[in-house]
Amino acid sequence: MRFSGLRVLKEGLTGNTGWTPHWRDPEPKSDYDVIIIGGGGHGLSTAYYLARNHGITNVAVLEKGYVGGGNVGRNTTIVRANYFLPGNSEFYSHSLKLWEGLEHDLNYNVMHSQRGLINLFHSDGQRDAFARRGNAMINQGDDAVLLDREGVRKHLPYLDFDNTRFPVYGGLLHPRGGTARHDAVAWGYARGADTRGVDLIQNCEVTGIDIENGTVKGVQTTRGTIRAKKVAMVVAGRSGQVAAMAGMRLPIESHILQAFVTEGIKPVINHVVSFGMGHFYISQSDKGGLVFGGDLDFYASYAQRGNLPMMEHVMEAGMTLMPMIGKAKVLRSWGGVMDMSPDGSPVIDKTDIGGLFLNCGWNYGGFKAVPASGWATAHLIATGTPHDTAAGFRLDRFRTGRGLMDEEGTGSQHNLH
Amino acid sequence: MRIICPHCGARDRREFTYQGDAVALERPAPDAGGAAWDDYLHNRENPAGVTRDLWYHEQGCGAWLVVTRNTVTHAVLTTDLAATVREGLA
Ligand SMILES: Cc1cc2nc3c(=O)[nH]c(=O)nc-3n(C[C@H](O)[C@H](O)[C@H](O)COP(=O)(O)OP(=O)(O)OC[C@H]3O[C@@H](n4cnc5c(N)ncnc54)[C@H](O)[C@@H]3O)c2cc1C
Ligand SMILES: [Zn+2]
């Protein structure tokens, strides 16, 4: 089934009775060429690009819950390419280019909206840092515009410019930054992979990884044993547990990140905006809800819900920056389990076990990475060599200290990112 | 989430600073080798369930605490002074 304007019109006139499920619900086969553990954004895009770019279609994605039930459906949907360090920069740049062609490629409306992202700064030091970041983005071939205070006022007239404690000095505008509909990204990749022959097996939890003589042979699941020549662990916040099934200990701590959404209101916030003096960022969904968040709760957690102190901090920071949002009522809040790495950058790599691959460490920024991560992980699985854009995401960088990618410059240590 | 400080009693989580896994109490010897240091600095059990981590009662008595708690329910089970736990390790 392909989507088109004509099709939408026809279905609208005939009671929407012609739509069919977007993917099959197959029984697992007894063996596959490749098994991907985890049906989140990264697992699904890996499966899609294995089929699309490498013609490898005897593939199963094993998901313990349902497709899109993990972080891929819990994030605040910001898509940007404003990274600074070599290694990250080219990867996120590649990802944004894939985003820009994604809807046509998938024939799926992921509602990618390049509404512009503005990171505000509030001191001379911050201005210098953002000017430097902007230059790095331009050098990478992406776009950045340094706005002064009046420049920001044109875009965001509703900010509290008179705040004496945290005056707005300006902002770094990334015009191609924006948002996308998170569920649709998962569904679009799922449908694209399924159409090309990939089996999406939901309600199928991996409970063990079978290894013989240092080579992976398959997995144990709640739906039986499934054998495979290659297995990729792509389970985000659950990476530690799944890797433990292969006897590995990872440089990953799982932390909680919260997000909030208000009742739907008329269009008022047209960009993605982040505060430079407190943990707060915001955008408005197409349904009208103000979607906002802040930083981690900052303690290891798998609870998928956070505590009140960070909630209070985020609301306070929001009220400081744009007091008008105090009139909107918060409808819901939730949390997701983040796979935090010591340097805040991800891992896409082989392991010491033959045929076993690892994709993890996405921290709080893995949604924008979904296209390029799937692209690079599929390339690694298919060819055995890292893709150029992801060559820096080595697991051994923590052990050797070579190639650490610490965007925030706080040090490669847990609980600092 | 409230944490029970052995000195101060049950206090708001905001009074405490989180350091991370209690592995920090078992610092390897300087010449223990790369693998031991990599484990100590980076690799984690990262359990979904009961864990032991280090908290600092920054806005209270200033003690370092080993907190045993559940990462799935956020229940705080026991709290010990880090100094006492370290003596036990020695
Ligand atoms: C509140 C919040 C806001 C965020 N905001 C942004 C943002 O604005 N921009 C951005 O770029 N990123 C953001 N992120 C980060 C982003 O959501 C994650 O980095 C990314 O979604 C993680 O990759 P994933 O989609 O593959 O994870 P998931 O969707 O979590 O996929 C992992 C899957 O593995 C499955 N799984 C786990 N264990 C097993 C097992 N044993 N067997 C089978 N399956 C298993 C899980 O059920 C899950 O579906 C945010 C995250 C949160 C929580
Ligand atoms: Zn105390």
Side-chain angles (χ1 to χ4, degrees), chain A residues 162-177:
Chain A
D162 302 325
N163 188 309
T164 41
R165 180 74 180 82
F166 303 120
V168 175
Y169 275 38
L172 185 66
L173 168 66
H174 174 32
R176 285 162 66 226

Side-chain angles (χ1 to χ4, degrees), chain B residues 5 7-8 57 60-63:
Chain B
C5 172
H7 293 144
C8 315
H57 197 182
C61 63

Side-chain angles (χ1 to χ4, degrees), chain A residues 89-399:
Chain A
S89 197
E90 60 265 38
F91 174 82
Y92 289 101
S93 183
H94 181 227
S95 209
L96 186 54
K97 290 186 191 98
L98 291 176
W99 276 105
E100 288 170 340
L102 196 59
E103 292 172 338
H104 280 106
D105 191 33
L106 295 175
N107 177 236
Y108 210 94
N109 182 7
V110 302
M111 296 165 75
H112 182 216
S113 153
Q114 295 184 292
R115 56 187 65 182
L117 173 145
I118 299 179
N119 296 123
L120 296 168
F121 49 80
H122 312 266
S123 69
D124 290 331
Q126 264 191 330
R127 180 195 288 117
D128 289 350
F130 274 119
R132 187 165 175 234
R133 179 173 295 268
N135 287 336
M137 290 158 66
I138 291 166
N139 280 337
Q140 181 57 50
D142 294 315
D143 59 341
V145 183
L146 197 67
L147 301 174
D148 63 10
R149 184 180 161 90
E150 289 316 305
V152 170
R153 199 192 293 274
K154 255 190 239 151
H155 287 280
L156 316 173
Y158 49 78
L159 297 185
D160 181 6
F161 285 90
D162 302 325
N163 188 309
T164 41
R165 180 74 180 82
F166 303 120
V168 175
Y169 275 38
L172 185 66
L173 168 66
H174 174 32
R176 285 162 66 226
T179 59
R181 170 78 199 273
H182 49 11
D183 301 308
V185 174
W187 299 335
Y189 273 117
R191 173 170 166 275
D194 173 88
T195 311
R196 284 170 170 75
V198 171
D199 283 356
L200 306 177
I201 320 269
Q202 305 182 71
N203 297 310
C204 180
E205 178 171 359
V206 171
T207 53
I209 298 180
D210 297 333
I211 297 160
E212 281 168 32
N213 303 322
T215 304
V216 74
K217 296 290 172 195
V219 295
Q220 299 295 323
T221 79
T222 47
R223 296 175 69 173
T225 304
I226 312 177
R227 296 180 67 83
K229 296 185 188 68
K230 296 176 182 174
V231 174
M233 305 181 280
V234 195
V235 290
R238 293 278 167 179
S239 295
Q241 269 119 45
V242 172
M245 296 173 194
M248 293 173 66
R249 266 161 64 92
L250 295 183
I252 297 288
E253 255 186 21
S254 293
H255 279 251
I256 207 79
L257 181 68
Q258 303 194 61
F260 314 89
V261 66
T262 70
E263 59 193 331
I265 55 177
K266 285 185 178 172
V268 57
I269 292 179
N270 304 323
H271 309 71
V272 180
V273 185
S274 79
F275 188 23
M277 280 289 149
H279 301 299
F280 175 78
Y281 64 90
I282 190 166
S283 68
Q284 187 166 16
S285 79
D286 292 333
K287 232 162 71 182
L290 302 180
V291 181
F292 60 101
D295 211 336
L296 300 175
D297 269 33
F298 278 113
Y299 46 84
S301 169
Y302 285 86
Q304 289 197 320
R305 64 182 157 74
N307 269 300
L308 295 172
M310 184 47 76
M311 209 181 268
E312 189 175 40
H313 172 94
V314 171
M315 309 268 175
E316 282 173 359
M319 287 295 290
T320 304
L321 184 64
M322 42 180 86
M324 69 168 182
I325 65 167
K327 298 207 170 165
K329 292 189 180 63
V330 175
L331 276 191
R332 282 179 289 123
S333 74
W334 64 92
V337 184
M338 311 281 70
D339 36 336
M340 302 301 297
S341 68
D343 67 354
S345 291
V347 170
I348 299 179
D349 211 343
K350 298 185 216 180
T351 67
D352 292 338
I353 295 153
L356 185 65
F357 300 85
L358 177 66
N359 171 312
C360 71
W362 293 101
N363 296 272
Y364 28 66
F367 178 65
K368 69 181 84 68
V370 161
S373 165
W375 189 284
T377 310
H379 181 94
L380 179 68
I381 295 171
T383 67
T385 49
H387 190 262
D388 284 348
T389 57
F393 296 161
R394 302 276 73 80
L395 178 59
D396 69 1
R397 69 180 184 271
F398 303 104
R399 182 171 54 77

Side-chain angles (χ1 to χ4, degrees), chain A residues 238 241 249-254 297-303 305 307 309 312 342 398-399 413-415, chain B residues 1 12-14 18-21 38-39 41-49 53 55 69 71-74:
Chain A
R238 293 278 167 179
Q241 269 119 45
R249 266 161 64 92
L250 295 183
I252 297 288
E253 255 186 21
S254 293
D297 269 33
F298 278 113
Y299 46 84
S301 169
Y302 285 86
R305 64 182 157 74
N307 269 300
E312 189 175 40
F398 303 104
R399 182 171 54 77
Q413 189 183 312
H414 283 296
N415 205 38
Chain B
M1 194 157 89
D12 191 287
R13 173 254 178 278
R14 266 174 283 214
Y18 178 74
Q19 168 69 23
D21 197 281
D38 183 34
D39 256 3
L41 289 169
H42 306 122
N43 298 328
R44 294 291 177 262
E45 236 35 82
N46 196 22
D53 38 32
W55 297 71
R69 62 184 184 93
T71 57
V72 177
T73 62
H74 289 164

